Amino acid sequence: MLKESEAGAKTDDICRRHGISSATFYTWRKKYGGMDASEARRLRELEAENAKLKRIVADQMLDMTSMKELLAKNW
């Protein structure tokens, strides 16, 4: 879609054809503009991995907090 826009197609026509809003198109253009498909795919993979790692850290922090509370009650 971004390549179509760079080739000169109108943004409204592209959005209508692909069923997205113009706000979504401009967000994607801001985020993925100037990237190849492989670079965009790699970016999505890294974002997914980052989200997974953040969930793991949050779970660990929750476990640590609950253990601290449990130890504080026992003493």
Side-chain angles (χ1 to χ4, degrees):
M1 290 186 299
L2 296 176
K3 289 185 179 185
E4 290 177 26
S5 175
E6 291 172 1
K10 290 187 175 185
T11 304
D12 293 336
D13 295 337
I14 295 170
C15 294
R16 193 174 313 111
R17 203 174 6 203
H18 294 283
I20 61 171
S21 69
S22 59
T24 301
F25 175 80
Y26 289 119
T27 302
W28 288 351
R29 188 173 77 176
K30 180 180 173 185
K31 188 172 186 178
Y32 300 114
M35 289 187 185
D36 293 333
S38 62
E39 291 172 337
R41 188 176 305 113
R42 179 71 179 143
L43 177 63
R44 282 196 312 260
E45 290 171 359
L46 289 173
E47 288 174 342
E49 182 180 357
N50 192 23
K52 180 181 173 184
L53 292 172
K54 284 183 179 182
R55 278 193 302 275
I56 290 171
V57 169
D59 290 340
Q60 291 292 326
M61 292 296 294
L62 185 62
D63 290 344
M64 288 174 35
T65 304
S66 61
M67 291 298 281
K68 285 180 183 178
E69 289 177 1
L70 180 65
L71 289 174
K73 289 180 182 177
N74 286 340
W75 293 101

